[in-house]
Amino acid sequence: MNSLLNPEGKVMIFFTRIAYSAYLNVLWFFCCLPIVTAGASTTALFYVTLKMAKDEEGNVTKSFFRAFRQNFKKATVIWLILLALGIVLALDGYIFYHMRFENAFWAVGTAVFLVALAAYAIVMMYIFPLLARFENTVKAMFLNSIMLGMRFLLCTVAMAVIYFVMAFVIINVFTPIIIFGEGLCALLCSHLLSNIMLMCEEKAQKPEGDDMSADEEIPDAEKIPETQDAFETR
């Protein structure tokens, strides 16, 4: 019994992390309310959960709001781009749904739409964790999100399942679990992403002279002076 109540024990750490995920979900939700700040709020959320995945979270509240302030400008630009693209995709989906099976254009257009939708979902899942952990240009963030999402398909599918299951449970099974919502999803995804982020950090620290195979390179990355490329860790 003492081992179960030990604050350093695995059981208490597990329940503490679950409680933190609910608290972070509340912070995330309220910081998203103006809508335009959703990108900065999501980046701040992943900044903390990625730290939690490495047992480095420290003061959760201070870390969240510090990351919110530091990433506000770039995260807002990225979010507004994604919001605009999401609106376009929603309109396209509405059109294709109502014109289904009417002509040959529908089949081709729907195929292109589904590919674009998959790419959009991949970017949504990867870009804010990347922004939370690395410095880079907006263009490179989008390209790196796509490349990482395609390269680590198993992780991408697992994250998609996490979000789908959470949405399904909230809508169809037990609505009050929404208190965990995005906070718990971000925490679980951060554990999946931790090794990928570590790999990116290691590449960022490689000397420029080191040989790197073509499939290891991350495209259009902002060059860091002297010893780093692809990413500059925070």
Side-chain angles (χ1 to χ4, degrees):
M1 180 61 71
N2 289 335
S3 62
L4 290 177
L5 298 178
N6 182 2
E8 302 297 329
K10 292 183 178 180
V11 174
M12 289 302 296
I13 290 175
F14 172 78
F15 284 110
T16 300
R17 296 289 169 82
I18 296 298
Y20 277 160
S21 71
Y23 174 63
L24 285 168
N25 187 60
V26 173
L27 289 180
W28 172 81
F29 176 77
F30 281 107
C31 289
C32 283
L33 283 181
I35 298 179
V36 72
T37 59
S41 184
T42 305
T43 303
L45 173 64
F46 273 101
Y47 178 83
V48 178
T49 55
L50 285 167
K51 290 284 189 181
M52 290 171 66
K54 299 193 298 180
D55 298 319
E56 299 175 356
E57 62 268 24
N59 187 303
V60 170
T61 306
K62 287 183 178 179
S63 295
F64 181 92
F65 285 106
R66 182 172 64 249
F68 184 91
R69 291 192 302 270
Q70 290 177 345
N71 296 288
F72 183 83
K73 184 176 179 181
K74 189 172 291 185
T76 301
V77 171
I78 290 172
W79 166 243
L80 291 177
I81 293 172
L82 288 171
L83 183 60
L85 291 174
I87 292 171
V88 171
L89 287 172
L91 292 174
D92 287 343
Y94 178 84
I95 293 171
F96 284 121
Y97 176 79
H98 286 280
M99 66 177 287
R100 61 190 182 279
F101 309 122
E102 291 186 2
N103 50 49
F105 172 77
W106 179 87
V108 177
T110 300
V112 173
F113 169 75
L114 292 176
V115 171
L117 187 63
Y120 182 80
I122 289 173
V123 171
M124 285 288 287
M125 288 189 290
Y126 278 88
I127 198 164
F128 294 114
L130 283 176
L131 181 59
R133 195 68 192 88
F134 302 102
E135 287 285 354
N136 220 321
T137 64
V138 171
K139 177 184 176 182
M141 285 291 180
F142 275 91
L143 291 175
N144 291 338
S145 298
I146 288 287
M147 294 302 295
L148 288 175
M150 293 175 64
R151 178 174 178 181
F152 299 99
L153 278 177
L154 184 60
C155 179
T156 301
V157 171
M159 289 196 294
V161 169
I162 288 170
Y163 284 109
F164 175 81
V165 169
M166 179 60 74
F168 180 84
V169 171
I170 290 172
I171 295 170
N172 298 290
V173 181
F174 188 62
T175 302
I177 205 172
I178 196 173
I179 189 64
F180 296 102
E182 179 67 14
L184 182 57
C185 289
L187 180 59
L188 294 174
C189 289
S190 293
H191 281 281
L192 292 174
L193 288 168
S194 60
N195 287 336
I196 297 175
M197 296 297 174
L198 179 61
M199 179 204 72
C200 294
E201 290 176 20
E202 290 172 350
K203 288 184 178 179
Q205 294 167 1
K206 278 188 177 181
E208 288 186 358
D210 281 8
D211 292 331
M212 185 180 297
S213 61
D215 63 337
E216 289 182 327
E217 293 180 356
I218 297 180
D220 292 329
E222 180 180 77
K223 293 295 182 180
I224 307 304
E226 297 183 2
T227 61
Q228 295 183 332
D229 60 9
F231 297 104
E232 179 181 5
T233 57
R234 294 186 185 279

